[in-house]
Amino acid sequence: MKSFFWENLRIALSELWSHKTRSILTGTGIVIGIIAVSLMSTLINGVDGLFEESMKFLGRGNLYIEKWPWFGDEDWWTLRNRPRIELDMADEIKERSEYAMVVAAERGRSANLSYKDLSAENIYIHGVTSNYPEVSTVDVEFGRFFTESEDRTGAQVVLLGSEVAKTLFPQGNPVDKMIFAGSKRFRVIGVLAEMGKFMGAFSNDTQVIIPLATFNKIFHGPWGRRSITVKVPEHLVEEAKEELRGVVRVLRGLKPEEKDNFAINQQNAFRQTYQGIKLAIGGTGMIITALSLLVGGIGIANIMFVSVKERTREIGVRKALGATRSQIQGQFLIEAMVITASGGLVGLIISTVISMAISKFLFPATMSFGVAFMAIALSAAVGLFAGLAPARKGAKLDPIEALRYE
Amino acid sequence: MSLIKVKDLYKIYQMGNTEVRALDGVSVTIEKNEYVSIMGPSGSGKSTLMNLLGCLDTPTSGEFFMDGINVATMGDDELAHIRNKKIGFVFQTFNLLPKSTSLRNVELPLIYNGEIKAHERRDMAIKALTRVNLGDRVSHKPNELSGGQRQRVAVARALVNNPAIILADEPTGNLDSKTGEEIMVLFDELHKQGNTIILVTHEEHIAAHASRVVRLLDGKIAVDEATNRGKP
């Protein structure tokens, strides 16, 4: 049987070669379908990677007590009118909660920085407690983090994000240099390791970190983000969240009938929302892809019927010379599969190029071997299904009638 | 053992309410290395007989043994194997694959044989083409050949698998008389070399090349006699 495969492949290739325009037009449907399917999978993989990468910034066991929930459809005005988070609750929470392992507080707002004649504008100033490294992924590359006593006394020390360090100190070591944040002088005590962007958009490297007490001393007023991060054991997050809710309600003196006037955010909220979006995009993509492959397959089936009809006499000759039904069927099936597999290959090459471009300019999206294999297998399968009916029709022809066909 | 043994062969078609007896009880025996022509006016059943002898069709009833094998009750694929191994066809309209070279056309029966390696196929095909004096036309396509050359490619294709019979259906019908005569000379030679040849024709001078003529009329054998050539 092996020799028939090569023989049929040879026939298919010469047949397709002699009808170049027709073959290309027919294959184009499959090319488009395969581009859609492989690009879609590659993009979803890429976004997945990006998402997981971003999720590292939010520890799995972290609960964030904030004014605003990250997701949800609560009334904006109600949320707007909630009291802001009192960061001094942190100590109380640590005391009252059984699950809390670390409780860190933070505030943030933007400001302009300068060193000598260099300046960095709109830099996110992050005021955090000295235990902040325990609840986040910040990593000190040079120098050191500030101590608890520096936090307590409101020392004017700062750690620079890697981008900020590059902007203000293009050459040389920033440690121990004095920079200005507005009119206040800060001593640089460390530089943070590069962290990358959150969701491909918000850079974590354009921030600076100062002690929370220092922040409170310098920046007054209600603006900016306030959050208390409670680190709990990862496997007890849900229980801890309930407990924490109770603790905060007590601390805020809420009556039983009153609603929560704070939000407890967690990584899961991102995950659930992301899964929902991914499912919607993926599902729509699947339908579009399936439709385009279906249309492509119909085109192939159509052209194969034409091909069988045109070659009725050839089929008659082959049968007279001893070709069996399965050999004729195989010939046309392989022809259909050659069209779709080449279409698939072309589609794959095009989508590889597109995904390389996306990787370069937007976000990491590499075509995986699995996606490539699936695309080729899928296109061959489309050929198989589309070719089946025409091939059977050809195989069943009566040799006498086929030989007489004009 | 006779090469072909046909007994009480019937082929009956149902055309609406009427029954058409294309073959109405035909019995004929053909020995190895015979040279037989089958003649008859159109509608006499000669095409039907040829299709049955060529194993392209099965009879409604009757016995048909080829080389001792009962082919009357065979299925499609079995018949295909018989055609492949036992029969070499030569058609009036040549029936070559237009996009394939002479070599590829002649190789075709060997490809469907399934047991012959590519280089052997090539050798056998070239040999067959040389036998019909087309050793120098192996890589030509049918449209680059004259009618006579095309029919000789078809003869080479019929010869290549060493069939038990060569079945030629009006082999000169699409050729001018001179070229037709050349083809008939080729058949005469093949006969001399030991091949069994069955010619289907309506032309007396073509039939005269054979040593025996079977004349059909209304689905029955009317005459079965030796030609002048076949007479001792």
Side-chain angles (χ1 to χ4, degrees):
Chain A
M1 280 312 282
K2 196 175 160 233
S3 66
F4 293 124
F5 174 78
W6 294 114
E7 186 57 32
N8 283 337
L9 193 62
R10 189 172 167 176
I11 296 170
L13 290 176
S14 74
E15 196 57 40
L16 297 176
W17 185 249
S18 65
H19 292 119
K20 285 176 219 65
T21 317
R22 184 204 276 186
S23 308
I24 290 169
L25 287 177
T26 319
T28 305
I30 301 297
V31 172
I32 292 168
I34 291 300
I35 290 177
V37 69
S38 51
L39 215 51
M40 187 68 68
S41 327
T42 302
L43 291 188
I44 287 179
N45 285 350
V47 173
D48 261 351
L50 195 68
F51 179 78
E52 288 306 328
E53 198 60 38
S54 301
M55 280 304 102
K56 283 193 203 145
F57 294 123
L58 309 169
R60 242 181 207 285
N62 282 4
L63 294 167
Y64 301 87
I65 302 168
E66 288 167 309
K67 178 173 170 180
W68 299 90
W70 288 345
F71 298 100
D73 45 14
E74 283 150 279
D75 177 51
W76 188 83
W77 268 108
T78 319
L79 295 176
R80 173 75 186 73
N81 288 330
R82 282 176 169 181
R84 57 190 209 222
I85 298 293
E86 309 86 340
L87 293 179
D88 44 13
M89 265 198 314
D91 292 338
E92 289 281 345
I93 290 170
K94 176 80 174 111
E95 221 154 89
R96 294 183 186 220
S97 165
E98 285 190 21
Y99 294 101
M101 300 190 298
V102 183
V103 182
E106 56 181 289
R107 284 182 67 186
R109 55 166 290 168
S110 31
N112 297 337
L113 304 182
S114 63
Y115 173 71
K116 292 188 177 162
D117 51 352
L118 290 172
S119 65
E121 274 157 33
N122 258 330
I123 297 301
Y124 188 70
I125 312 273
H126 211 170
V128 303
T129 45
S130 59
N131 55 5
Y132 181 70
E134 294 170 60
V135 299
S136 73
T137 54
V138 294
D139 203 4
V140 180
E141 194 169 18
F142 305 111
R144 59 177 181 86
F145 207 77
F146 53 81
T147 62
E148 206 185 332
S149 73
E150 279 170 320
D151 181 21
R152 220 174 317 121
T153 56
Q156 278 170 273
V157 292
V158 65
L159 286 108
L160 305 181
S162 61
E163 282 297 316
V164 181
K166 270 182 219 160
T167 312
L168 293 183
F169 300 92
Q171 297 119 348
N173 188 354
V175 176
D176 282 338
K177 303 275 174 7
M178 302 301 283
I179 65 165
F180 277 95
S183 59
K184 306 288 181 196
R185 268 159 61 96
F186 283 83
R187 188 160 57 87
V188 179
I189 57 167
V191 177
L192 302 176
E194 192 175 327
M195 285 188 281
K197 290 178 176 176
F198 183 72
M199 296 294 175
F202 314 105
S203 174
N204 284 294
D205 297 319
T206 54
Q207 63 168 334
V208 300
I209 293 182
I210 62 173
L212 180 61
T214 317
F215 191 106
N216 287 336
K217 202 169 74 184
I218 297 169
F219 301 105
H220 307 284
W223 310 284
R225 197 173 97 94
R226 288 153 183 266
S227 169
I228 295 174
T229 307
V230 184
K231 185 174 184 151
V232 301
E234 283 183 20
H235 60 287
L236 294 170
V237 167
E238 292 309 314
E239 292 90 328
K241 190 178 175 182
E242 268 319 294
E243 185 215 44
L244 209 54
R245 205 178 136 230
V247 170
V248 178
R249 283 181 68 91
V250 170
L251 287 175
R252 284 208 157 168
L254 292 176
K255 296 195 184 86
E257 72 276 6
E258 279 178 302
K259 281 186 168 179
D260 289 350
N261 56 6
F262 56 92
I264 300 181
N265 292 318
Q266 65 187 111
Q267 200 201 64
N268 251 356
F270 264 103
R271 249 173 225 291
Q272 281 163 5
T273 308
Y274 173 68
Q275 289 302 339
I277 295 170
K278 185 176 143 183
L279 216 65
I281 295 175
T284 318
M286 283 283 275
I287 293 170
I288 294 170
T289 304
L291 276 178
S292 63
L293 281 176
L294 181 71
V295 171
I298 290 170
I300 302 282
N302 198 14
I303 218 69
M304 289 312 294
F305 272 118
V306 172
S307 182
V308 166
K309 190 90 184 156
E310 278 179 351
R311 286 150 74 192
T312 300
R313 201 164 170 122
E314 177 195 320
I315 294 170
V317 173
R318 289 181 184 278
K319 285 199 137 192
L321 299 182
T324 58
R325 280 187 182 198
S326 59
Q327 283 161 355
I328 298 290
Q329 189 170 318
Q331 178 187 330
F332 286 97
L333 274 185
I334 285 177
E335 192 171 314
M337 285 168 76
V338 166
I339 300 180
T340 55
S342 342
L345 203 63
V346 172
L348 200 57
I349 291 168
I350 295 175
S351 47
T352 306
V353 172
I354 296 177
S355 59
M356 276 159 81
I358 291 174
S359 281
K360 188 156 184 202
F361 300 112
L362 293 173
F363 58 85
T366 14
M367 176 89 56
S368 71
F369 179 76
V371 170
F373 179 79
M374 176 208 63
I376 293 295
L378 195 62
S379 52
V382 170
L384 192 66
F385 280 107
L388 206 55
R392 287 178 84 98
K393 191 183 169 205
K396 275 199 274 188
L397 286 177
D398 175 22
I400 299 169
E401 305 216 340
L403 278 169
R404 247 186 246 143
Y405 184 82
E406 291 296 335
Chain B
M1 187 176 59
S2 306
L3 186 54
I4 289 177
K5 191 158 183 275
V6 167
K7 207 176 159 208
D8 295 329
L9 210 56
Y10 287 87
K11 184 72 187 181
I12 298 164
Y13 297 101
Q14 202 68 40
M15 304 272 253
N17 287 332
T18 48
E19 191 183 77
V20 179
R21 291 176 170 245
L23 285 184
D24 195 5
V26 168
S27 299
V28 69
T29 305
I30 295 171
E31 301 298 334
K32 201 167 172 354
N33 198 23
E34 268 201 273
Y35 194 173
V36 186
S37 30
I38 297 173
M39 298 200 68
S42 54
S44 63
K46 81 180 180 290
S47 289
T48 309
L49 183 58
M50 196 215 67
N51 287 338
L52 286 171
L53 292 178
C55 297
L56 288 164
D57 202 359
T58 47
T60 311
S61 71
E63 288 176 14
F64 175 16
F65 287 91
M66 173 168 298
D67 245 358
I69 307 164
N70 183 7
V71 292
T73 54
M74 278 187 169
D76 269 8
D77 283 353
E78 288 172 297
L79 285 176
H81 286 299
I82 293 285
R83 291 196 293 271
N84 185 252
K85 302 221 158 77
K86 302 275 183 199
I87 297 162
F89 286 98
V90 179
F91 302 97
Q92 177 175 359
T93 50
F94 322 136
N95 280 335
L96 299 175
L97 300 186
K99 287 173 212 149
S100 302
T101 61
S102 306
L103 185 70
R104 292 277 299 156
N105 266 295
V106 175
E107 270 188 329
L108 216 49
L110 303 176
I111 286 166
Y112 290 120
N113 178 298
E115 285 160 12
I116 303 169
K117 291 195 183 88
H119 65 97
E120 289 176 51
R121 289 202 303 249
R122 200 183 143 82
D123 292 348
M124 289 168 80
I126 290 175
K127 220 186 211 170
L129 280 165
T130 313
R131 275 177 80 181
V132 299
N133 289 326
L134 285 177
D136 56 345
R137 293 282 188 277
V138 288
S139 46
H140 287 60
K141 292 188 175 167
N143 61 5
E144 298 160 345
L145 299 170
S146 71
Q149 286 172 327
R150 285 182 212 183
Q151 193 60 305
R152 280 194 279 156
V153 172
V155 173
R157 182 177 67 184
L159 282 174
V160 76
N161 55 347
N162 267 322
I165 31 169
I166 293 172
L167 199 59
D169 182 14
E170 304 275 11
T172 58
N174 272 26
L175 301 173
D176 61 64
S177 58
K178 186 167 163 287
T179 325
E181 200 52 42
E182 281 168 21
I183 290 293
M184 291 319 297
V185 171
L186 183 60
F187 278 119
D188 295 349
E189 274 170 29
L190 293 174
H191 174 239
K192 271 189 211 127
Q193 289 161 9
N195 289 290
T196 311
I197 297 171
I198 300 175
L199 276 177
V200 178
T201 183
H202 61 272
E203 291 180 88
E204 290 292 346
H205 72 277
I206 296 296
H209 280 265
S211 44
R212 174 181 169 195
V213 62
V214 175
R215 291 174 200 275
L216 285 173
L217 197 63
D218 299 334
K220 291 190 167 87
I221 292 180
V223 181
D224 184 349
E225 60 178 13
T227 60
N228 287 335
R229 214 177 216 215
K231 279 171 187 158

